[in-house]
Amino acid sequence: MRVVHNVAELRIAVKAMREEGLRIGFVPTMGFLHEGHGSLIRQCKSRCDATVVSIFLNPTQFGPNEDLSKYPQDLEADQSLCLKLGVNLLFLPTVAEMYPSAFQTFIEPGPVAEPLCGKYRPGHFRGVATVVAKLFNMVQPDLAFFGQKDLQQTVVIKRMVKDLNLPVDIAVVPTLREPDGLALSSRNVYLSPDERKRALCISLGLFAAEAAFLAGDRDIASLLTHATECLWGVDEIQYCELVDAQSLEPLVGQVDRAAAICVAAYVGSTRLIDNILLNPN
Ligand code: PAF
């Protein structure tokens, strides 16, 4: 595994891969890798000839009162996992490399970035879209991999790729879960044992709604009741909404198209998100 720290080295390494005619896959991450990232890397390995992973804790996607300064990091473990999984090229840029002092150009996502997390994390998707566009320009991958847990992120990125004609395909990989159902997240490490138990109610609610949906229930109010009834364990619900899976607009009445139930909630001081897809066809 080759490890590079700046864009110049990255470009030389990527150029060599291109000259060999390799199909390049890319997994952007913020580090503290877990099996969820592992599954993105495995998918990338199986669908591409060369796998590039980036680890960059992107400051522009964190609000002033968010967890940037305490976001978990373990570069040594991350590098071992990448090596074990057969990553070919690991990109570890610094903040100064990604955002030199004169940096001033951002990507402003449209309405898909406004509901759900966009409402509670102003500027978050502007930071995500900007760093992902920069990384795409640096790596120039054929295919890039993102997790379904961050559903709104995948919608924002797909929209950006289409709107800006970026020459990359986007693959969305299903959410990986603990055996009891909790969605894997780097932020799970913040949870105390009691909070970890209570956090489970988020996925249990989503599974209850999914079970009702699979049994034929298409009534949105009823499905949302299943999801929210279980949310007794959290300390604050930011949202629990049933939305169109493509536009993220809230749906009313009956589920008549691909939809998702999306949840964001605080357990203690940890903000967790999760979602489940509902496809009526
Ligand atoms: O999902 C993440 O880890 C981040 O939002 C991403 C896509 C790496 C951009 O910083």
Side-chain angles (χ1 to χ4, degrees):
M1 181 175 75
R2 174 101 194 270
V3 181
V4 293
H5 295 87
N6 61 56
V7 182
E9 287 175 307
L10 175 77
R11 286 202 195 281
I12 292 169
V14 168
K15 189 162 173 263
M17 290 172 173
R18 281 247 165 272
E19 281 169 359
E20 274 185 71
L22 303 180
R23 177 172 159 82
I24 299 176
F26 178 44
V27 181
T29 80
M30 295 205 299
F32 208 65
L33 305 182
H34 49 67
E35 264 310 307
H37 299 105
S39 95
L40 299 183
I41 295 171
R42 284 191 183 92
Q43 279 273 332
C44 186
K45 295 280 304 168
S46 71
R47 295 179 60 184
C48 301
D49 306 313
T51 294
V52 182
V53 171
S54 64
I55 297 180
F56 177 62
L57 184 54
N58 175 35
T60 65
Q61 68 188 76
F62 287 81
N65 300 318
E66 294 186 344
D67 57 343
L68 174 62
S69 60
K70 65 166 191 162
Y71 196 85
Q73 284 174 286
D74 187 344
L75 192 52
E76 215 172 293
D78 290 349
Q79 284 192 251
S80 308
L81 182 67
C82 288
L83 191 62
K84 190 179 111 193
L85 294 177
V87 169
N88 303 94
L89 181 58
L90 180 59
F91 180 41
L92 304 175
T94 59
V95 173
E97 183 71 7
M98 293 298 285
Y99 299 110
S101 57
F103 183 88
Q104 54 190 270
T105 307
F106 285 84
I107 299 226
E108 198 61 66
V112 287
E114 283 164 18
L116 306 173
C117 287
K119 203 162 141 196
Y120 295 91
R121 303 190 67 190
H124 169 67
F125 291 113
R126 179 184 192 249
V128 169
T130 302
V131 80
V132 170
K134 281 171 69 67
L135 289 165
F136 282 175
N137 284 334
M138 293 167 184
V139 177
Q140 304 199 343
D142 296 290
L143 186 55
F145 294 78
F146 296 86
Q148 189 209 303
K149 189 178 80 67
D150 297 301
L151 178 70
Q152 190 170 16
Q153 171 168 281
T154 66
V155 173
V156 168
I157 289 168
K158 282 184 187 166
R159 191 69 257 161
M160 172 182 79
V161 163
K162 227 180 196 150
D163 290 348
L164 301 182
N165 306 91
L166 303 182
V168 56
D169 289 324
I170 302 301
V172 178
V173 177
T175 305
L176 225 71
R177 298 179 180 279
E178 300 279 7
D180 63 4
L182 183 72
L184 294 192
S185 163
S186 301
R187 290 187 168 98
N188 290 350
V189 73
Y190 298 147
L191 299 168
S192 70
D194 167 64
E195 290 167 348
R196 168 67 182 76
K197 273 188 213 142
R198 293 193 288 118
L200 198 55
C201 72
I202 298 173
S203 48
L204 292 184
L206 290 171
F207 296 157
E210 184 186 41
F213 180 79
L214 292 174
D217 190 352
R218 295 288 180 271
D219 184 73
I220 290 172
S222 152
L223 294 167
L224 282 174
T225 302
H226 283 292
T228 45
E229 254 173 11
C230 285
L231 285 176
W232 46 265
V234 306
D235 295 303
E236 183 195 333
I237 303 171
Q238 278 194 333
Y239 59 78
C240 177
E241 288 185 37
L242 197 152
V243 297
D244 179 302
Q246 249 112 61
S247 69
L248 303 181
E249 280 164 10
L251 295 179
V252 282
Q254 301 283 307
V255 180
D256 59 357
R257 65 194 87 164
I261 301 180
C262 300
V263 178
Y266 272 96
V267 182
S269 58
T270 304
R271 184 177 184 277
L272 298 172
I273 60 171
D274 199 354
N275 66 78
I276 208 105
L277 295 177
L278 306 174
N279 202 333
N281 305 309

